[in-house]
Amino acid sequence: MAANAERAQTLAAHIAHADLDPTFVELTNTVSVALGGAAVEVKRLQQTVQDTAATAHETQRAHLRMYGRLDDVRSSRRERTPKPGFFERR
């Protein structure tokens, strides 16, 4: 997207130099700015997704560390046992 933004900016300069209608120059510049902004936001989104995935993996490991043995006990029984929180009073 950033590369396309640069190309659009260069194209706007070329069409301005060729004395095309200023409307087309303005529209091409607008596309360039929009693509540049989108590139920044996509990069930010990608970083957020990576951070979220890392946090999810950390949470999964912590959960397994804290409750893994309890799950092993519950899973190895023939009888069904209540899920965690069943006896919690509200």
Side-chain angles (χ1 to χ4, degrees), residues 54-72 74-75 83-85:
T55 302
H57 288 296
E58 289 172 18
T59 303
Q60 186 179 25
R61 285 192 300 270
H63 186 272
L64 183 61
R65 187 175 57 250
M66 293 169 66
Y67 299 107
R69 291 182 182 162
L70 178 61
D71 187 52
D72 290 342
R74 286 187 71 236
S75 299
K83 293 182 179 180

Side-chain angles (χ1 to χ4, degrees), residues 3-23:
N4 286 338
E6 289 179 28
R7 285 189 206 122
Q9 187 176 18
T10 302
L11 178 62
H14 288 311
I15 62 175
H17 182 69
D19 291 331
L20 263 68
D21 191 300
T23 304

Side-chain angles (χ1 to χ4, degrees), residues 75-87:
S75 299
S76 64
R77 290 183 180 172
R78 287 187 289 155
E79 303 84 14
R80 292 181 55 136
T81 58
K83 293 182 179 180
F86 175 77
F87 295 109

